[in-house]
Amino acid sequence: MIPVTKTFLPPQEEYNSYVKRAWDKVWLTNRGELTIELEDKLKNYLNVPHITITNNGTIPLQIALKLFGKGGEIITTPFSYVATSAAIVWENCTPVFVDINPEYLTIDETKIEAAITSKTTAILATHVFGNPCAIEAIAAIAEKHNLKVIYDAAHCFGVTYNNESIFQFGDVSTCSFHATKLFHTGEGGAMFCKDEETQHTLFYSHNFGHNGPLAFHGLGINAKISELQSAMGLALFPYMEHIIAERKKVTDFYNANLNFKNLKNIKIRENTEWNYSYYPVIFESEAILLEVQEALAKENIQPRRYFYPSLNTIPYTNGAEMPVSESIASRVMCLPLYVGLPTLDLEKITAIINTITS
């Protein structure tokens, strides 16, 4: 089978060497030396002032919403993974959807202000497929209306915008270290911020609110990553340049060989150094998408309808109609993209798509 993605695994002996350190110390969780070492490496690699790594990529959104959402209305995008909206509802806030830009696929910043009410407390926007939102415009709106900005940057490891890490923007930015991501810890995530006060709150919030073993700064939850997860991150870390370079080769092949006469791909925002996290294509209709999907499946090729459905259509979000997002969600599909994907397989994928769409 040719899957939509394949987890990159470092040599097992290299992973085992890190696990042995945890084994020798009999220290498997509660911020052991592997977790601290990984945070330091990531902070330097990503050039960010503050990072707290977590046990998954959704809980940073929940923590940020607990801090900044305050049970209010959260302006958000309908075109994202379900975790974005689910976290809002889970934290007893109300998602207020704003439609998306049809080229960048990120939230349409020109429609945000019209959605703001007296109950609005924050904007939660997704850098879709690692493609940055209109950061400057969103920052100006947030400042004008005294709102917090949370970025779901789950796909953004290594992305820079205007020569700065994408994680530098917003009041809190989050990332996923799930096994399907470029950088992963098997399961995991991280939250980033710019100032000491926010970092202090994020940090104690991810560790039950602890201030030492017997006192508490405030309310917290258990979002700590284990040493076994951190071991995977440390073992994977030396391969990041290789991973990104190999994914770029696959992306370049699709760009050169797909016929875009009746097919579109995502437009990457200007001044962005992208990470080749996904390869979405947008068909002219859902019927053509389904025909392509069926033809690929016959060859044991498994792309993914991602993101589908548009989140405003999920019953618990009670969302209004979002014509652009609903249209894109019905017609977008991510093609196989991973390290080691053979050229022969890429030729087969592009030939099938070109035959049907041309």
Side-chain angles (χ1 to χ4, degrees):
M1 185 183 74
I2 304 171
V4 69
T5 190
K6 186 179 289 187
T7 299
F8 182 92
L9 291 172
Q12 192 169 355
E13 61 272 17
E14 294 179 17
Y15 173 68
N16 289 342
S17 70
Y18 285 105
V19 171
K20 185 176 186 303
R21 286 171 53 187
W23 215 269
D24 290 344
K25 286 184 174 291
V26 197
W27 193 331
L28 297 184
T29 189
N30 289 346
R31 292 188 60 77
E33 67 176 29
L34 300 184
T35 296
I36 293 169
E37 182 179 335
L38 180 58
E39 281 188 346
D40 287 342
K41 283 183 178 291
L42 291 173
K43 188 186 296 184
N44 291 330
Y45 180 83
L46 298 168
N47 193 26
V48 293
H50 302 294
I51 177 176
T52 302
I53 55 177
T54 58
N55 51 16
N56 65 58
T58 303
I59 207 161
L61 291 174
Q62 294 177 242
I63 290 173
L65 287 162
K66 179 69 74 176
L67 299 180
F68 298 141
K70 302 184 185 302
E73 294 179 351
I74 311 298
I75 292 175
T76 193
T77 174
F79 191 71
S80 184
Y81 184 57
V82 68
T84 311
S85 291
I88 294 171
V89 177
W90 194 268
E91 293 302 327
N92 295 312
C93 297
T94 302
V96 176
F97 293 106
V98 168
D99 216 340
I100 63 171
N101 181 291
E103 292 188 308
Y104 299 117
L105 308 186
T106 53
I107 194 169
D108 188 339
E109 69 282 2
T110 67
K111 298 177 180 177
I112 290 176
E113 278 200 278
I116 295 173
T117 73
S118 60
K119 297 179 181 179
T120 306
T121 53
I123 300 167
L124 171 51
T126 299
H127 301 307
V128 177
F129 303 126
N131 194 26
C133 296
I135 288 168
E136 295 90 348
I138 291 172
I141 293 167
E143 183 177 4
K144 178 180 176 181
H145 295 276
N146 193 29
L147 302 175
K148 296 294 186 178
V149 178
I150 304 165
Y151 280 118
D152 182 340
H155 299 164
C156 291
F157 191 91
V159 172
T160 64
Y161 178 69
N162 285 337
N163 297 314
E164 288 191 77
S165 170
I166 197 71
F167 302 132
Q168 291 274 44
F169 301 98
D171 293 283
V172 174
S173 187
T174 72
C175 191
S176 172
F177 294 163
H178 186 266
T180 57
K181 301 299 187 285
L182 276 75
F183 174 83
H184 72 87
T185 55
E187 182 73 82
M191 45 193 178
F192 306 82
C193 64
K194 293 175 289 189
D195 65 275
E196 292 278 358
E197 182 179 356
T198 302
Q199 170 61 16
H200 174 66
T201 307
L202 292 175
F203 184 83
Y204 75 67
S205 296
H206 104 295
N207 186 25
F208 297 106
H210 271 289
N211 177 20
L214 300 178
F216 296 90
H217 288 293
L219 181 66
I221 196 169
N222 182 12
K224 299 187 305 296
I225 197 170
S226 78
E227 290 291 88
L228 302 182
Q229 290 169 287
S230 294
M232 177 59 73
L234 287 168
L236 192 75
F237 193 81
Y239 295 93
M240 286 314 303
E241 299 306 319
H242 170 70
I243 290 168
I244 292 173
E246 289 298 302
R247 295 176 73 95
K248 182 179 185 298
K249 288 180 183 178
V250 176
T251 298
D252 289 345
F253 185 95
Y254 282 137
N255 287 342
N257 290 278
L258 283 170
N259 182 351
F260 288 99
K261 181 181 179 182
N262 298 309
L263 193 69
K264 288 178 61 178
N265 59 6
I266 191 171
K267 180 179 179 181
I268 302 301
R269 199 171 295 275
E270 299 80 356
N271 303 315
T272 298
E273 184 176 340
W274 194 41
N275 63 0
Y276 312 98
S277 52
Y278 294 86
Y279 198 92
V281 289
I282 304 169
F283 297 92
E284 287 192 314
S285 69
E286 185 174 23
I288 295 174
L289 178 149
L290 293 173
E291 185 180 352
V292 169
Q293 186 178 35
E294 183 180 1
L296 291 172
K298 287 179 179 178
E299 297 296 326
N300 216 15
I301 300 166
Q302 301 293 331
R304 183 179 178 187
R305 296 189 68 180
Y306 193 62
F307 302 111
Y308 179 84
S310 186
L311 296 176
N312 60 296
T313 66
I314 294 176
Y316 63 72
T317 66
N318 297 311
E321 289 186 8
M322 296 285 131
V324 179
S325 179
E326 290 174 42
S327 174
I328 295 291
S330 72
R331 297 183 289 119
V332 68
M333 185 163 66
C334 286
L335 302 184
L337 173 57
Y338 52 86
V339 176
L341 182 55
T343 300
L344 284 175
D345 290 342
L346 289 169
E347 290 172 348
K348 182 185 294 185
I349 292 165
T350 54
I352 291 170
I353 295 172
N354 288 341
T355 298
I356 295 172
T357 61
S358 297

